[in-house]
Amino acid sequence: MSTQGKSEFGVIGLAVMGRNLALNINDHGFSVAAWNLEQPMTDKFLADNKGRTLTGTKSLAELVGALEKPRRILMMIMAGKPVDSVLEQLKPILEKGDIVIDGGNTHFMETRRREADLAKLGINFVGMGVSGGEEGARHGPALMPGGTVEAWERLKPVLESIAAKTESGPCVTHCGPDGAGHYVKMVHNGIEYGDMQLIAEAYDMMSRGLGMTAPEIGEVFAKWNEGPLASFLIELTAKVLMVKDQETGKPLVDLVQDKAGQKGTGKWTAELSLDLGIPIPTITAAIDGRVLSSMKDQRVAAEKRIRGVVGPKPPASEKQALIAAIHDALLASKICSYAQGMQLIRAGSDAYKWNISLKETARIWKGGCIIRARLLDNIMKAYERAPDLKNLLLDEDFEGRMHDAQANWRKALGVALSLGIPTPSFSASLAYFDSYRTARLPQNVTQAQRDAFGAHTYERTDHPERGFVHSEWLKD
């Protein structure tokens, strides 16, 4: 307990994430007072954790009264109306200088609104992205807090102690003012969508394209996890593919319905990319992949009606070469996904004047979070070399990696296309790469069409000084 005899940190919401974060905070020497809307959950939390410096409270007012000043309170509750409801109850009983953290997956614009509203009362509101799932929350997540510098300084000792640690330090940083933390978490989740879809497509190419079993593919992923593709998701996938169903003895993954859900952060990422004019085709294709997967009944019916014209499967002698090609395609596509995500973070930072450090963003993602990967160390170093790097593909290290992977990347996609195996995110990544490295794209025709039917004007390559001009394209 503090010198005031009161708890040093408050937690609202004792579902899995809130409970695990509360225990993590307590593990690191901070006394915790907690409140949950359903009192039995609070009682169980205390009963399960006897002997700790934990205090259960029966109301928000009691929670506020149990905390040392200035208060630090973390909300781990459902995003949306529940957050506003709790804040409305807290506003009359909090004091100037107190800090309230929203650790849920909240849209950053909502965080900006709430931060501005509470700032009028002198209360600090911090939107904080939390990644790593329940295991990360308990033993070390990646944390992405926004808010004022003053709030960060007050929270820093706690957040740095509970965050995951790598050789580059604790996986937490002050992302920037108001909604910056939740914005960074949103893009993190978008990259996560892309990563998961790319891994699924690699699995599909080996499964349907090469006739490999789930355990065989799991062994390939386990081997890949020892090289440049090393990451939490690759390691996780390797383990998932090895699991046998106790009832049937079959690989459990083969019995999972091919319908993937989503919670909204991926969609928000795609919406913001359009608003800010930043292409993220790898991530958008991943979202489309999940939506298409949900159309199960239509796909089953369509398979019976729509015939595909596909080529022969590769001979067994090419198996290892194709596995190597899929590896390189996955690596190159993953780099594209990170490049798109980092550009989107920079665009948001510029638009909202957040001054987000991309180097720090890569650093805190190296541990604790779902997209933690060996590649993030290279990304961190890329932004260390050039903080204003316009695109990750322009970094000398990544330029070399993409060059080395290109031939195999195209080879893997060529085989998938010939076999009718859909690779939306792989294909979108390659199209992004080829578009970005092409000085002249065919949108001259698009702009000519726009001018022809709608007088939208265009610029001439030979007379740029004339600005936007209009021509009569459809004269008889």
Side-chain angles (χ1 to χ4, degrees):
M1 303 292 281
S2 71
T3 54
Q4 303 170 25
K6 298 195 173 187
S7 296
E8 296 162 286
F9 211 90
V11 174
I12 295 174
L14 291 171
V16 174
M17 291 295 287
R19 180 173 68 246
N20 282 0
L21 283 167
L23 292 173
N24 190 353
I25 292 166
N26 190 234
D27 283 345
H28 289 88
F30 301 93
S31 53
V32 176
W35 175 81
N36 194 80
L37 183 61
E38 295 83 13
Q39 183 62 36
M41 195 172 284
T42 306
D43 296 339
K44 186 175 188 311
F45 174 66
L46 295 176
D48 290 345
N49 296 283
K50 290 178 180 177
R52 288 175 170 268
T53 48
L54 301 172
T55 302
T57 61
K58 293 182 169 60
S59 68
L60 285 173
E62 188 180 337
L63 174 75
V64 169
L67 295 171
E68 68 174 15
K69 301 178 184 180
R71 302 173 181 90
R72 296 171 291 188
I73 303 173
L74 169 64
M75 295 189 299
M76 293 302 297
I77 60 178
M78 188 178 296
K81 290 181 180 178
V83 175
D84 284 321
S85 174
V86 170
L87 289 177
E88 284 305 310
Q89 295 173 69
L90 285 174
K91 280 160 69 173
I93 55 179
L94 290 178
E95 299 176 43
K96 188 175 181 180
D98 288 347
I99 303 167
V100 182
I101 310 162
D102 174 13
N105 274 332
T106 293
H107 195 288
F108 76 96
M109 290 301 288
E110 288 289 280
T111 301
R112 298 190 82 206
R113 173 181 63 80
R114 291 167 181 146
E115 196 269 345
D117 179 54
L118 288 170
K120 296 172 187 173
L121 302 174
I123 299 168
N124 292 288
F125 184 73
V126 172
M128 181 173 73
V130 179
S131 182
E134 56 185 270
E135 182 70 16
R138 183 66 186 87
H139 300 292
L143 301 171
M144 295 151 257
T148 64
V149 174
E150 293 75 22
W152 163 243
E153 290 300 328
R154 177 83 176 121
L155 294 172
K156 187 176 179 180
V158 179
L159 300 184
E160 285 193 341
S161 70
I162 69 169
K165 309 294 189 300
T166 73
E167 75 285 353
S168 299
C171 296
V172 60
T173 194
H174 180 229
C175 293
D178 55 76
H182 273 148
Y183 185 90
V184 169
K185 177 57 162 52
M186 175 194 72
V187 178
H188 164 285
N189 285 20
I191 295 170
E192 181 183 311
Y193 272 57
D195 259 9
M196 294 173 74
Q197 176 68 24
L198 290 168
I199 291 170
E201 291 175 19
Y203 155 83
D204 204 20
M205 282 193 270
M206 285 185 274
S207 176
R208 290 202 286 158
L210 300 178
M212 296 170 65
T213 65
E216 287 173 337
I217 300 169
E219 289 175 7
V220 170
F221 277 114
K223 185 176 180 181
W224 287 356
N225 197 50
E226 298 171 3
L229 280 174
S231 67
F232 169 72
L233 283 171
I234 292 287
E235 180 184 7
L236 177 78
T237 307
K239 292 177 179 177
V240 163
L241 293 172
M242 299 287 194
V243 176
K244 279 189 178 181
D245 175 44
Q246 292 185 349
E247 288 184 45
T248 65
K250 296 177 180 178
L252 183 56
V253 72
D254 291 348
L255 302 175
V256 176
Q257 186 67 277
D258 58 326
K259 293 164 66 175
Q262 54 182 317
K263 291 187 175 180
T265 47
K267 186 182 80 168
W268 297 344
T269 309
E271 289 171 344
L272 260 294
S273 76
L274 293 173
D275 290 343
L276 297 173
I278 301 297
I280 55 166
T282 307
I283 297 166
T284 304
I287 298 166
D288 289 342
R290 293 197 187 190
V291 175
L292 272 163
S293 79
S294 70
M295 300 164 64
K296 178 68 174 180
D297 292 342
Q298 289 187 51
R299 290 187 290 110
V300 170
E303 187 180 73
K304 297 173 183 176
R305 292 282 306 276
I306 304 172
R307 290 175 295 167
V309 180
V310 300
K313 288 197 174 184
S317 59
E318 294 184 18
K319 180 179 176 180
Q320 293 306 316
L322 284 173
I323 290 173
I326 295 168
H327 170 280
D328 289 356
L330 181 54
L331 179 62
S333 298
K334 185 181 177 79
I335 291 169
C336 285
S337 183
Y338 277 111
Q340 294 160 28
M342 289 302 193
Q343 271 205 310
L344 188 57
I345 291 176
R346 185 184 294 285
S349 180
D350 291 345
Y352 298 103
K353 298 179 173 55
W354 285 328
N355 197 30
I356 297 172
S357 166
L358 297 185
K359 176 195 167 187
E360 274 289 277
T361 300
R363 183 189 69 76
I364 66 171
W365 286 350
K366 285 174 60 178
C369 72
I370 301 299
I371 64 169
R372 60 187 184 267
R374 183 171 297 174
L375 208 55
L376 281 159
D377 193 56
N378 303 96
I379 294 173
M380 183 185 79
K381 289 173 182 174
Y383 288 110
E384 194 172 80
R385 286 189 289 271
D388 296 325
L389 186 67
K390 293 187 182 302
N391 190 300
L392 206 55
L393 299 179
L394 298 173
D395 174 72
E396 57 188 22
D397 175 27
F398 286 102
E399 184 184 351
R401 289 169 182 264
M402 299 300 280
H403 183 270
D404 292 344
Q406 262 190 80
N408 266 345
W409 194 6
R410 298 181 195 281
K411 178 181 179 180
L413 287 188
V415 172
L417 289 169
S418 71
L419 295 175
I421 298 173
T423 54
S425 283
F426 272 128
S427 300
S429 301
L430 183 56
Y432 172 81
F433 173 76
D434 282 337
S435 295
Y436 192 76
R437 68 181 189 85
T438 298
R440 184 168 173 82
L441 292 169
Q443 274 64 41
N444 55 316
V445 176
T446 305
Q447 196 61 17
Q449 291 170 333
R450 296 181 73 238
D451 191 46
F453 69 66
H456 291 288
T457 72
Y458 64 96
E459 296 172 283
R460 293 181 65 104
T461 58
D462 56 345
H463 288 292
E465 75 281 357
R466 295 181 186 175
F468 288 91
V469 298
H470 168 64
S471 294
E472 292 297 331
W473 300 87
L474 307 179
K475 288 181 182 178
D476 293 334

